[in-house]
Amino acid sequence: MGPGAVLPRLGPACCLLLLLLGGCGGLGEEAPRFKARYEAVKEQLGAVAALSKRYWRQLACGVWQEGCEAEEEGKTGSKPGWSLPVVGQDYLEILSAWYCSFGKCCETGDCRIINNVTGLELDLHRQLHGQHLAKETIIRALRGFLRSPQPQKALVLSFHGWSGTGKNFVARMVAAHLYRDGLKSECVQLEKQISETVQLCRQSLFIFDEAEKLHVGLLDAVKPFVARSDRGQRGNRRSIFLFLSNIGGNAINEVALDFWRAGRAREEIPMELLEQQLRLEMLQLAENGYARSHLLEEDLVDFFVPFLPLEYHHVKLCVRDAFLARGLPYTEATHEEVARMMVFVPKEEKLFSAQGCKSVSQRINYFLP
Ligand SMILES: *[C@@H]1O[C@H](CO)[C@@H](O)[C@H](O)[C@H]1NC(C)=O
């Protein structure tokens, strides 16, 4: 690793943000004060369909793997239902009053920006298997963006691929390498809305998992924070948006399969080919909120990042990592046995793991002494 690559910046306003509606522990006595307003907003919003509580729960458990217990507690408590629909910036602003105060997290200094891109690169090389395109694109995009003194717009990356190919894994890793305490940072627990965060944080990171399920209203509310501005992002603030979806997963897999059938290495798959396929697939999704949002129609996504389907030997590497991470003894035989428990498709070739590396770490439980 190159020396001097890591420059801890101790700016006062910096934060890693989890956009999460539901189960905020810091509401306390504030809640009744906002109750009336909440009711008013709720009424106005009426039956407009929007974010489901389920989505946010999945985000917390799926991306962060840490909000799951909080959610359980929330169910037994007598808190008001937080599954309120959210449409448009105004409502986001009103609702923000409830969420844990931002100041708290920065007073404790837990939100320090480290922007350890070299470390991220190293860890991606070590732990993200079979994704040469994603690796390269993400590092190049982040490095360029973080070096630019005054970016013209927020950085928007759209991750595509089957489940288990590493989209969430990479999102977590990005968070962990941009902020000192990564996911353990108090700020990860924070529930905030975008405009306040962008104002308060010198650098904010927003992760939208399962973007294909997001309501178009929410996505359009995000647009002003993503759009280009002649004056650059306000002050020298930066925001990074990651949208994770399985849109285009099949198209990516077909390209990978064609290359394999033609006897060519997956490393030869050119980015341009996949990007073109992803754009085409997006255009065909007439009904999908993400595909139809202004983000895509106005070309606000900077990079489409394809995640390739994983082959047997990639899964074996994930198994090895899972054993190592838990300090467990392992043998070549157990490796193969775990990897063989996964389902491989298509039927004839049995080439790609249908669930990627998902649940590998649970599967090794069967092999414990
Ligand atoms: C940067 O990341 C690398 C790889 O994860 C790690 O070894 C190193 O300690 C990190 N540096 C800081 C300052 O967090």
Side-chain angles (χ1 to χ4, degrees), residues 1 6 8 114 116 118-120 122-123 126 177:
M1 199 175 15
V6 179
I114 52 172
N116 187 355
T118 307
L120 175 65
L122 192 77
D123 282 354
R126 274 196 214 131
H177 285 87

Side-chain angles (χ1 to χ4, degrees), residues 175-195:
H177 285 87
L178 296 190
Y179 300 90
R180 193 196 59 181
D181 290 349
L183 303 176
K184 300 241 158 37
S185 157
E186 267 181 48
C187 303
V188 176
Q189 258 57 251
L190 263 187
E191 295 149 29
K192 284 302 241 176
Q193 46 85 15
I194 297 168
S195 80

